[in-house]
Amino acid sequence: MDFELDDDPARIQNDAVWRWLSTEAYWGRWRTRADLDAQIAGAWRVVGVYRTDTGEQVGFARAVSDGVAFAYLADVYVLDAHRGHGLGKALVRRMIDEGPGSHFRWTLFTGDAHGLYAGFGFVEPDATAMVRPAAPQLR
């Protein structure tokens, strides 16, 4: 099976992204579909992974950025059935190393993929980093 990576926002299949993030992602199941659509529409950059034979979207990543020096990587996933083929690495590489933000300071939050991101130079925060946790969502 062959795959294609593409950063064309018009190609993102919001239904496919919603299906995975709303059921599988531990980090963002609180979002509504409207929230996710707004996040995708407002993203600085998106990258999708697609099967070349069917066009099915099997992976996704989005970034928020000031477009000059800083970017935040979010919502990175590859469907379980397509893991183990290097697609996660290819997706992150396309987003951070092969795009317009290759020289940026990148940040992200993850609870389970530290090994993947360490391979791209991500490290524990240094003394210059601070984080304000999110306030509880009232819905």
Side-chain angles (χ1 to χ4, degrees):
M1 194 175 308
D2 291 322
F3 299 92
E4 175 184 16
L5 285 91
D6 193 349
D7 63 357
D8 179 357
R11 193 167 175 196
I12 297 298
Q13 299 166 12
N14 286 27
D15 289 341
V17 176
W18 171 250
R19 196 167 30 256
W20 196 89
L21 290 176
S22 67
T23 61
E24 302 295 326
Y26 66 84
W27 62 85
R29 283 187 235 149
W30 58 265
R31 291 179 279 195
T32 66
R33 173 62 190 261
D35 291 337
L36 179 64
D37 288 343
Q39 288 176 319
I40 293 171
W44 168 71
R45 187 160 191 248
V46 291
V47 177
V49 181
Y50 307 90
R51 288 179 52 165
T52 55
D53 60 345
T54 65
E56 173 192 9
Q57 184 170 345
V58 302
F60 175 76
R62 71 178 175 90
V64 178
S65 175
D66 63 7
V68 177
F70 175 82
Y72 172 76
L73 180 62
D75 294 332
V76 178
Y77 77 86
V78 172
L79 295 179
D80 290 345
H82 301 288
R83 292 183 183 168
H85 304 288
L87 295 176
K89 289 179 183 176
L91 181 58
V92 174
R93 183 179 311 109
R94 175 66 62 94
M95 177 62 84
I96 67 171
D97 288 337
E98 297 174 357
S102 62
H103 62 284
F104 289 2
R105 181 177 189 180
W106 284 84
T107 189
L108 65 90
F109 293 95
T110 183
D112 62 354
H114 295 83
L116 169 66
Y117 298 115
F120 290 94
F122 285 87
V123 296
E124 295 292 321
D126 61 24
T128 66
M130 294 180 72
V131 175
R132 179 182 175 199
Q137 291 289 322
L138 302 174
R139 294 215 186 249

